[in-house]
Amino acid sequence: MDNPGKFYITTPIYYVNARPHIGHTYTTIACDAIARRQRMLGVDTWFLTGTDEHGQKIERSAAAAGCTPREFADRISGEFRALWDRMGVTYDDFIRTTEPRHARGVQALFARLQERGYIYKGSYSGQYCVFDELYVDAAEPGAPCPECGRPTETVHEENYFFKLSAMQERLLKYYGEHPDFIRPETRRNEVVSFVRGGLRDLSVSRTSFKWGIPVPNDPKHVIYVWLDALANYMTALGFGSDDPKDRARLARYWPADVHMIGKEIVRFHCVYWPAFLMAADLPLPKSIIAHGWLLFEESKMSKSRGNIVRSETILDTLGQDALRYFLLREIVFGQDGSFSFDALVQRFNSDLANGIGNLASRTLSMIARYFGGEVPYPSASERAPADEAIGALAQQTITDFHAQFEQFQFSRALETAWSLVAAVNKYIVENEPWSVAERDDQDSRARLATILYTSAEALRVVTALVHPVIPEATAKIWTQLGLGEIRQMDLRELAWGQLQLGTRLGAVEAVFPRADKSMVERMQQMEQQRSAEITKTDETKAAAATQAETAPALADSSGGGVVEKITIDDFLKVELRVGQIKVAEKVKGADKLLRMEVDIGTEVRQIVAGIAKAYEPEKLVGRKVVIVANLQPRKLRGLESNGMIVAASLGDDGLPVLAGFLEDIPVGAKLK
Ligand SMILES: [Zn+2]
């Protein structure tokens, strides 16, 4: 099943647990640039993006934000879509895993795997990482997750299992026969050695939460989020539908030509997904391309580091072309790359403002001034070796750019295009058309025409090549060149010397005004303000309790003055124990208080604490906390509180943050 003349490309569907940031933008614009170029090559192209919305993590995040999982997913998914729309991303479809068309397709795939004998019912007891939605095999209770390092939780579940173990040899054979299936090479090698190490059957259903797609005929179970999510690449085309239109689209575009992913989800895409497809007897995608991480000034962007950069800041200042160009030019695709505002502004000025922007404005304004805005005739007699050299370089640039782009070497392809820009800018400086224009003889006039024709033609070539990467500015330059709509341009036919003589230029205006030095500072300030706003909205929802109704804190972080020293004996008077919250509920009439029943090993205590604005009671059940066990009982709102929960106190409002442990620890253990 191979469909020549079509091209189907996908981004990963983004998990709605996090707001869109520049890392998501990076993946999306890489796909957008590829899709735009395919269309310019006359290929029938389908570009899919979307959001992944199920799973326990979303259920918990929604509870923390005080809304339903559906409302939570709607909000974040909407933010992704709005950002792509604002950036003019040319996706053909946006799939959400909460849509009926997706659920129908996932259930059809599940049923198909069941019918073919690849899914069976079994039971699992062991460790589970909620963050990665992943079972951790052969681990001790509480062992850290091998993927993310967070503590795992012990679960006992009756589940459906997929016979992944049966696919090991078939997968290895497939990787061997299709060397381009996984790229780059380093990722491919990792996958091959992982599969060689042996595959265990994969649990593909959950009963521990509800927010997912039910297993067909067994709605107690929801389908494993990764089986659910991966299927989007087919359900979006119409897999599982009987509608002839959907079936035709599926037949037309599947298998995908490119699944673009980040390197952290390689295993799911390169092992599980092909295994599901093989078991279901469906065609496999042609290639899976993994890019590296986008670091911020050399360190990984993360919520906890607070160094997440949002695309909006750059869109508001330098515009989308600047962001697109920077990410594809600066980062060697496949490797980790670094983002910084300094580097962004530097690139913007050197390559866009002084590079292609300068080439366009000087060439077009001289044609306007000296030739009344009509592309002049390049004289045959007044031709110099320098003119021929530009023509030859442009022709070579076309060949090289295509070859490099095809290999996903965006950075090299852009470097190639900008060598031509630099060469033409140099050519203009050396040939001084402005001086030639001052001489009024026939030969000089012919020479001037040749120089400006050569410059304009080189500009046309570069503009066409890089349109998929910087669509806005190149569309403007194209119009200024008098060539109409750049989207109509057929990239297959691009060659030197096609600029029609006498073409009338459009109105000439600068496309990339230079950014001054204050721009970096401005963007940093916008970014700080933006993350402050976001933190504020998130935390007012999740937190805000005062010290007043909390039992006295052990250590007051807000003081900063001199604290009287105590002896070890004084400290030993305080009995600190590990407790586990069994019951947690709001206290009527007191919006800051929670009533809890806490198991401290020897007994279950009632403790009342002022943490209601920071923690949803449902989220606390099962959580291990530190208790001051030998505190005099006291009454809060008529309820006896027998002990105190240890928490840090944050900021002026004294937001409580519960103390906890990274390792698993038995209830009742003493702290000393
Ligand atoms: Zn994990």
Side-chain angles (χ1 to χ4, degrees):
M1 190 158 122
D2 198 21
N3 308 322
K6 68 89 191 177
F7 186 82
Y8 176 34
I9 184 168
T10 66
T11 72
I13 45 174
Y14 302 113
Y15 203 40
V16 295
N17 200 38
R19 290 192 167 82
H21 58 68
I22 198 170
H24 303 112
T25 301
Y26 177 48
T27 319
T28 305
I29 57 136
C31 290
D32 186 58
I34 295 170
R36 283 174 184 267
R37 182 169 165 279
Q38 287 295 328
R39 293 190 195 102
M40 286 177 83
L41 289 167
V43 179
D44 174 9
T45 300
W46 195 259
F47 170 20
L48 174 71
T49 188
T51 44
D52 178 10
E53 308 183 6
H54 287 133
Q56 191 163 17
K57 230 190 303 181
I58 303 303
E59 208 173 65
R60 288 186 181 180
S61 297
C67 62
T68 65
R70 165 80 56 186
E71 289 164 346
F72 189 85
D74 283 349
R75 179 160 59 90
I76 307 286
S77 176
E79 285 185 27
F80 274 100
R81 191 163 187 155
L83 179 61
W84 305 150
D85 288 343
R86 178 174 176 199
M87 292 189 68
V89 172
T90 59
Y91 60 86
D92 294 289
D93 193 5
F94 187 103
I95 180 105
R96 298 183 55 187
T97 57
T98 49
E99 287 177 77
R101 60 169 173 156
H102 176 71
R104 180 185 62 199
V106 171
Q107 289 182 327
L109 179 61
F110 195 96
R112 187 167 166 136
L113 292 168
Q114 256 177 327
E115 277 158 27
R116 298 176 56 85
Y118 284 97
I119 284 181
Y120 64 93
K121 214 168 187 178
S123 70
Y124 179 91
S125 74
Q127 298 306 115
Y128 185 67
C129 173
V130 174
F131 183 80
D132 290 312
E133 316 261 11
L134 194 72
Y135 285 96
V136 179
D137 288 327
E140 298 291 312
C145 164
E147 299 290 322
C148 71
R150 290 174 176 79
T152 51
E153 296 179 13
T154 308
V155 295
H156 305 280
E157 279 189 290
E158 187 189 51
N159 280 331
Y160 288 93
F161 283 81
F162 171 72
K163 284 188 189 167
L164 186 62
S165 57
M167 310 310 289
Q168 183 172 349
E169 290 314 312
R170 282 183 69 183
L171 284 168
L172 289 172
K173 185 160 178 276
Y174 193 86
Y175 304 145
E177 286 167 359
H178 300 83
D180 279 347
F181 181 56
I182 303 164
R183 278 183 281 179
E185 190 77 23
T186 45
R187 301 281 98 82
R188 182 189 139 78
N189 295 341
E190 281 168 19
V191 169
V192 170
S193 72
F194 174 79
V195 175
R196 277 215 188 102
L199 295 175
R200 297 162 63 120
D201 288 355
L202 183 70
S203 160
V204 288
S205 75
R206 299 286 183 270
T207 51
S208 52
F209 61 92
K210 288 269 152 249
W211 185 238
I213 297 170
V215 166
N217 304 316
D218 197 353
K220 241 184 36 237
H221 294 259
V222 297
I223 295 172
Y224 174 46
V225 281
W226 273 104
L227 175 53
D228 168 345
L230 288 163
N232 91 87
Y233 302 129
M234 289 188 78
T235 63
L237 293 178
F239 181 80
S241 165
D242 293 327
D243 187 321
K245 257 170 50 193
D246 292 336
R247 300 180 79 104
R249 195 188 316 110
L250 182 68
R252 173 80 187 131
Y253 293 109
W254 190 259
D257 294 81
V258 173
H259 287 324
M260 180 78 71
I261 61 170
K263 66 179 181 182
E264 70 283 2
I265 49 178
V266 163
R267 187 191 308 169
F268 303 101
H269 282 80
C270 302
V271 181
Y272 299 171
W273 180 228
F276 295 148
L277 292 170
M278 281 175 175
D281 196 24
L282 293 164
L284 269 54
K286 289 184 198 155
S287 62
I288 298 163
I289 314 293
H291 63 70
W293 280 330
L294 190 55
L295 311 173
F296 181 72
E297 291 171 351
E298 310 298 330
S299 61
K300 189 165 190 282
M301 283 189 214
S302 75
K303 241 189 199 171
S304 54
R305 281 205 181 89
N307 64 353
I308 290 176
V309 175
R310 292 180 203 280
S311 308
E312 287 85 343
T313 298
I314 300 152
L315 300 181
D316 288 344
T317 48
L318 296 176
Q320 62 147 314
D321 281 351
L323 178 58
R324 295 171 67 107
Y325 178 77
F326 178 83
L327 293 175
L328 293 185
R329 171 65 185 86
E330 191 83 5
I331 297 157
V332 177
F333 203 74
Q335 298 175 14
D336 290 349
S338 193
F339 177 86
S340 81
F341 289 116
D342 276 319
L344 172 69
V345 170
Q346 215 164 38
R347 271 268 175 236
F348 178 84
N349 281 334
S350 68
D351 294 11
L352 298 180
N354 296 345
I356 194 170
N358 189 28
L359 173 61
S361 65
R362 74 202 322 189
T363 302
L364 298 172
S365 57
M366 280 189 284
I367 293 176
R369 192 178 322 144
Y370 303 132
F371 292 94
E374 270 182 25
V375 174
Y377 180 75
S379 158
S381 61
E382 288 304 323
R383 223 165 264 200
D387 314 329
E388 307 290 347
I390 292 293
L393 179 63
Q395 200 57 54
Q396 191 59 45
T397 299
I398 296 170
T399 310
D400 293 348
F401 184 93
H402 281 316
Q404 289 156 348
F405 204 101
E406 293 281 325
Q407 290 303 310
F408 307 98
Q409 297 170 346
F410 308 121
S411 178
R412 282 189 62 193
L414 292 170
E415 207 178 328
T416 298
W418 259 259
S419 312
L420 178 59
V421 171
V424 185
N425 273 329
K426 186 161 169 261
Y427 163 85
I428 294 174
V429 170
E430 287 174 355
N431 286 278
E432 298 186 344
W434 44 86
S435 309
V436 179
E438 282 171 11
R439 298 192 289 271
D440 218 7
D441 58 286
Q442 276 289 10
D443 288 355
S444 298
R445 185 79 184 155
R447 181 75 201 121
L448 180 63
T450 304
I451 298 168
L452 292 181
Y453 179 88
T454 306
S455 308
E457 174 58 356
L459 173 65
R460 186 189 69 92
V461 167
V462 166
T463 303
L465 285 176
V466 304
H467 174 64
V469 177
I470 49 171
E472 274 188 341
T474 47
K476 285 184 195 156
I477 294 172
W478 203 253
T479 316
Q480 294 181 29
L481 274 166
L483 299 172
E485 276 241 25
I486 195 164
R487 278 183 189 229
Q488 313 289 333
M489 201 268 153
D490 189 338
L491 210 47
R492 284 170 298 188
E493 287 170 2
L494 182 66
W496 180 258
Q498 292 165 328
L499 183 58
Q500 297 290 312
L501 311 178
T503 303
R504 269 218 77 82
L505 301 188
V508 178
E509 51 162 337
V511 285
F512 290 117
R514 241 186 105 77
D516 66 32
K517 277 187 180 158
S518 67
M519 186 61 93
V520 172
E521 216 172 297
R522 215 175 116 207
M523 287 193 289
Q524 280 163 343
Q525 277 169 3
M526 287 170 73
E527 197 54 38
Q528 272 164 15
Q529 203 175 347
R530 201 160 247 138
S531 46
E533 276 164 19
I534 286 166
T535 314
K536 217 169 151 193
T537 7
D538 282 355
E539 284 178 2
T540 36
K541 274 186 200 119
T546 62
Q547 282 300 102
E549 287 182 318
T550 324
L554 259 190
D556 187 356
S557 62
S558 62
V562 182
V563 179
E564 204 188 323
K565 301 259 192 322
I566 60 167
T567 65
I568 186 77
D569 292 323
D570 287 332
F571 174 72
L572 288 175
K573 286 179 195 160
V574 182
E575 189 191 345
L576 293 169
R577 281 190 185 277
V578 175
Q580 186 170 33
I581 300 173
K582 294 292 176 190
V583 174
E585 56 188 6
K586 294 196 164 146
V587 175
K588 257 200 188 139
D591 58 0
K592 288 170 191 148
L593 290 184
L594 288 185
R595 186 192 79 86
M596 285 162 283
E597 290 172 26
V598 182
D599 183 355
I600 60 164
T602 47
E603 60 179 300
V604 175
R605 297 269 191 93
Q606 171 169 290
I607 297 178
V608 181
I611 58 172
K613 289 206 168 157
Y615 293 94
E616 293 286 324
E618 302 88 306
K619 253 189 85 183
L620 285 173
V621 174
R623 180 155 174 166
K624 287 180 180 167
V625 290
V626 178
I627 303 296
V628 183
N630 60 340
L631 205 65
Q632 294 248 353
R634 59 182 198 138
K635 280 207 167 171
L636 288 162
R637 300 268 170 157
L639 294 167
E640 186 174 277
S641 182
N642 199 352
M644 180 190 122
I645 296 187
V646 177
S649 163
L650 269 190
D652 295 341
D653 298 336
L655 302 180
V657 177
L658 294 175
F661 298 94
L662 281 178
E663 286 79 25
D664 199 30
I665 183 151
V667 169
K670 242 190 119 175
L671 280 77
K672 51 185 181 183

